[in-house]
């Protein structure tokens, strides 16, 4: 056992302070989270469009029949609740009374509150707590208190937690199970970088976590309420000075990327093999997500295509003005777009390369794509099922008039489509593969030498030694 590491009391029982990070759209399912809890830690079932099964145990494809986005959105919520309930029940059974089971939701997912309420109502006594990030989940504490489960907000700064505490959380202080600090430069998936922070200049997490603890103390929160360090955690021995540290109070650790490569992990074999080949720098912190948040994923051909698409971009004016004094004569039909001379020459070159269509963005720019890509983009936008509360790609909003009021953005993509395809056997080069920035360590860590893929129990046992 790693020096200083002690069990914590959570969900009414002693558990190891190691948490499986929740990974949405069927990646953190009952197999991985149930096994994590059975090993004595806190397993996390993702309630973000989780899988359901038919009578033979086969995954039920999430096919949408509604003619309108609102109708498809209601179908999506129903799928999410059924899947979340099924995954929790199976994980709880697998855990066999050991560890604890949390569920994870994104506050920015479409219908988040309805999904959370629906899952918790039907899994009483099985869920210990709810982790929630990607936005400011003010209502999280109220919903958790209603169902008598802990809540664990995911934040990236003390400032964000202070806002949540003052506005809402202080009213349900007794149900605050922990605060997850997610490093916005290192964590996989959607990250909480603010406009004041430079994505190219990672900051040391220690002073940021100390500031978070100071904020919690200001609110009268006990040092026994853990801060969960998430993002960039690989070996516990790298964090030895955080354990039993009076400045920081109780600390737990979340592992999001390492559980991807286990025997119980539901991701396809090709994805697991991809993880073993990564080099440092192969994870990209980018802003292509339709959520508008920064996110981190493997820089595969899917992401490289999005990078290249945004580079084939020019600004335009609807009137001749300043250096926008050349009329665009390629990529568009029947409209007056005025561009600079240099951009006109670039646009003509792109068209010669096969990028024949110019699509308008919300920022008064045009991006050049192939006719084939244009057809896919327009179909995906038309097929939107409202998986986010606000979607930049399709201009969907899950309330009021169901529109963000902004032009749909062709520089983004349908996140539901690609994440579903990735986890259910799609081409790993043509889909989004979320991962933390430490994923290159699979190739370097001797634990995984000769292609070894551990069980979750073997992984948790290994982590608890410090490695």
């Amino acid at each position: 056992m790693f020096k200083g590491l002690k069990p914590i009391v959570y969900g009414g029982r002693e558990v190891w302070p190691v948490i499986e990070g929740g990974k949405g759209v069927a990646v953190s399912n009952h197999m991985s989270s149930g096994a994590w809890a059975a090993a004595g830690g806190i397993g996390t079932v993702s309630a973000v469009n989780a899988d359901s099964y038919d009578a033979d145990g086969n995954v039920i494809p999430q096919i949408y029949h509604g003619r309108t986005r609102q109708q498809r959105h209601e179908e999506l919520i129903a799928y999410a609740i059924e899947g979340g309930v099924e995954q929790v029940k199976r994980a709880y059974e697998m855990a066999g009374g050991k560890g604890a089971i949390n569920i994870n939701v994104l506050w920015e997912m479409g219908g988040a509150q309805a999904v959370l309420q629906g899952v918790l109502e039907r899994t009483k006594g099985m869920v210990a707590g709810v982790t929630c990030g990607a936005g400011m989940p003010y209502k999280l504490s109220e919903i958790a208190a209603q169902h008598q489960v802990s809540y664990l907000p995911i934040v990236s700064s003390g400032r964000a937690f202070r806002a949540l505490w003052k506005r809402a959380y202080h009213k349900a202080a007794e149900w605050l199970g922990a605060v997850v600090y997610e490093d916005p430069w290192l964590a996989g998936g959607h990250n909480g970088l603010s406009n004041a922070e430079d994505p190219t200049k990672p900051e040391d997490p220690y002073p940021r976590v100390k500031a978070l603890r100071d904020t919690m103390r200001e609110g009268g929160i006990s040092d026994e309420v853990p801060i969960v360090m998430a993002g960039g955690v690989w070996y516990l021995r790298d964090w030895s000075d955080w354990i039993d540290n009076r400045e920081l109070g109780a600390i737990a650790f979340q592992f999001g990327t390492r559980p991807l490569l286990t025997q119980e992990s539901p991701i396809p074999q090709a994805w697991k093999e991809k993880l073993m080949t990564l080099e440092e720098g192969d994870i990209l912190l980018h802003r292509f997500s339709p959520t508008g948040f920064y996110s981190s994923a493997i820089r595969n051909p899917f992401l490289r295509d999005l990078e290249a698409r945004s580079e084939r971009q020019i600004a335009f004016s609807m009137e001749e003005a300043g250096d926008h004094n050349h009329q665009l004569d390629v990529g568009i039909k029947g409209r007056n777009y005025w561009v600079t001379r240099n951009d006109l020459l670039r646009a003509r070159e792109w068209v010669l390369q096969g990028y024949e269509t110019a699509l308008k963005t919300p920022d008064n720019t045009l991006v050049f794509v192939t006719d084939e890509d244009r057809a896919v983009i327009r179909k995906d936008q038309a097929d939107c099922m409202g998986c986010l509360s606000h979607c930049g790609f399709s201009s969907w909003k899950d309330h009021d008039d169901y529109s963000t009021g902004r032009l749909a953005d062709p520089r983004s993509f349908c996140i539901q489509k690609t994440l579903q395809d990735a986890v259910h056997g799609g081409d790993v080069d043509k889909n989004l593969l979320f991962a933390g920035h430490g994923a290159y360590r699979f190739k370097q860590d001797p634990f995984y030498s000769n292609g070894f893929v551990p069980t979750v129990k073997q992984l948790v046992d290994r982590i608890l030694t410090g490695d």
Side-chain angles (χ1 to χ4, degrees):
M1 194 55 51
F2 188 63
K3 182 183 176 186
L5 194 69
K6 299 188 292 285
I8 59 172
V9 176
Y10 178 76
R13 61 172 65 99
E14 282 195 346
V15 299
W16 290 113
V18 291
I19 300 174
E20 176 195 21
K23 296 168 286 295
V25 189
V27 173
S28 289
N29 75 350
H30 70 279
M31 291 291 292
S32 58
S33 54
W36 195 278
I42 301 173
T44 304
V45 167
S46 172
V48 182
N49 295 105
D51 282 338
S52 298
Y53 308 95
D54 64 20
D56 296 322
N58 301 310
V59 172
I60 297 172
Q62 296 189 11
I63 298 168
Y64 296 86
H65 305 284
R67 297 185 65 183
T68 68
R69 284 180 176 179
Q70 293 97 302
Q71 289 169 341
R72 295 192 293 274
H73 176 62
E74 291 304 319
E75 291 178 74
L76 176 128
I77 290 174
Y79 276 132
I81 292 172
E82 290 301 321
V85 170
E86 182 70 21
Q87 296 297 332
V88 168
K89 287 180 175 178
R90 290 181 177 224
Y92 184 77
E93 191 174 315
M94 279 189 66
K98 297 176 182 174
I101 299 292
N102 281 349
I103 60 174
N104 173 255
V105 292
L106 269 75
W107 201 246
E108 288 299 315
M109 75 181 190
Q113 292 184 51
V115 172
L116 188 52
Q117 291 276 20
V119 173
L120 290 175
E121 280 167 7
R122 292 169 54 190
T123 56
K124 291 189 187 306
M126 300 179 197
V127 173
V130 181
T131 55
C132 184
M136 293 293 279
Y138 291 111
K139 286 260 187 187
L140 176 63
S141 56
E142 180 184 323
I143 295 170
Q146 180 186 336
H147 294 278
Q148 298 190 323
V149 298
S150 296
Y151 62 100
L152 300 83
I154 302 171
V155 299
S156 293
S157 68
R159 186 178 67 254
F161 180 75
R162 180 181 283 113
L164 290 165
W165 179 258
K166 287 192 169 180
R167 179 163 158 185
Y169 291 1
H170 72 277
K171 299 173 190 171
E174 67 274 26
W175 295 105
L176 179 67
V179 179
V180 181
Y181 171 78
E182 187 176 71
D183 189 300
W185 291 275
L186 296 177
H190 290 103
N191 300 2
L193 270 175
S194 73
N195 292 331
E197 291 158 341
D198 187 337
T200 66
K201 294 180 180 174
E203 294 181 16
D204 178 1
Y206 187 95
R208 293 171 67 94
V209 171
K210 183 184 180 302
L212 171 58
R213 177 60 76 187
D214 291 343
T215 300
M216 292 168 68
R217 287 169 177 152
E218 285 170 21
I221 300 166
S222 165
D223 277 11
E224 295 301 309
V225 175
I227 292 175
V228 180
M229 178 61 208
V233 181
W234 195 270
Y235 298 129
L236 286 183
R237 55 181 157 84
D238 295 337
W239 305 85
S240 57
D241 58 338
W242 287 48
I243 297 169
D244 268 345
N245 183 318
R246 288 187 178 181
E247 275 194 330
L248 300 182
I251 292 286
F253 297 92
Q254 180 168 298
F255 296 82
T257 298
R258 286 188 80 173
L260 286 171
L261 194 55
T262 62
Q263 291 181 29
E264 292 91 342
S265 169
I267 66 173
Q269 184 62 25
W271 189 345
K272 292 180 182 181
E273 290 170 2
K274 184 87 169 174
L275 290 170
M276 293 187 178
T277 68
L278 297 175
E279 304 285 352
E280 191 166 4
D282 280 350
I283 306 299
L284 179 68
L285 179 61
H286 65 89
R287 267 202 116 157
F288 298 117
S289 170
T291 61
F293 289 106
Y294 280 95
S295 64
S296 294
I298 295 172
R299 194 173 178 229
N300 62 355
F302 176 85
L303 270 190
R304 290 178 187 273
D305 284 349
L306 287 168
E307 289 180 276
R309 185 187 301 171
S310 276
E311 286 166 7
R312 295 189 304 273
Q313 183 172 192
I314 57 174
F316 70 86
S317 171
M318 298 304 290
E319 299 175 354
E320 185 178 2
D323 58 357
H324 284 65
N325 52 16
H326 286 71
Q327 198 162 5
L328 186 64
D329 56 8
V330 293
I332 45 94
K333 294 176 182 174
R335 287 198 178 183
N336 290 327
Y337 289 94
W338 297 88
V339 298
T340 66
R341 180 177 182 277
N342 186 46
D343 283 346
L344 175 63
L345 296 176
R346 291 166 73 207
R348 288 173 176 171
E349 182 62 29
W350 293 329
V351 169
L352 289 174
Q353 292 170 9
Y355 303 102
E356 299 172 350
T357 302
L359 298 177
K360 197 174 174 184
T361 80
D363 301 317
N364 285 339
T365 63
L366 296 166
V367 291
F368 283 74
V369 300
T370 64
D371 288 342
E372 182 184 3
D373 281 346
R374 176 194 174 279
V376 171
I377 290 166
R378 292 301 188 226
K379 183 177 188 314
D380 288 349
Q381 289 170 333
D383 289 346
C384 174
M385 72 295 286
C387 74
L388 299 173
S389 66
H390 296 75
C391 177
F393 177 67
S394 68
S395 290
W396 156 267
K397 184 174 68 175
D398 71 355
H399 53 284
D400 299 336
D401 61 355
Y402 302 106
S403 171
T404 63
R406 283 173 61 81
L407 194 66
D409 196 336
R411 296 167 296 187
S412 190
F413 56 91
C414 176
I415 196 164
Q416 173 76 195
K417 172 188 166 184
T418 186
L419 292 178
Q420 287 281 4
D421 199 34
V423 76
H424 294 119
D427 190 331
V428 295
D429 286 335
K430 295 180 180 177
N431 285 294
L432 182 69
L433 306 178
F434 280 140
H437 288 257
Y440 70 92
R441 298 177 82 167
F442 283 122
K443 190 174 180 180
Q444 299 179 353
D445 189 334
F447 187 49
Y448 303 95
S449 59
N450 301 314
F452 175 66
V453 176
T455 63
V456 167
K457 176 75 163 67
Q458 287 171 323
L459 173 60
V460 172
D461 287 349
R462 176 83 170 189
I463 287 169
L464 291 175
T465 68
D467 284 347

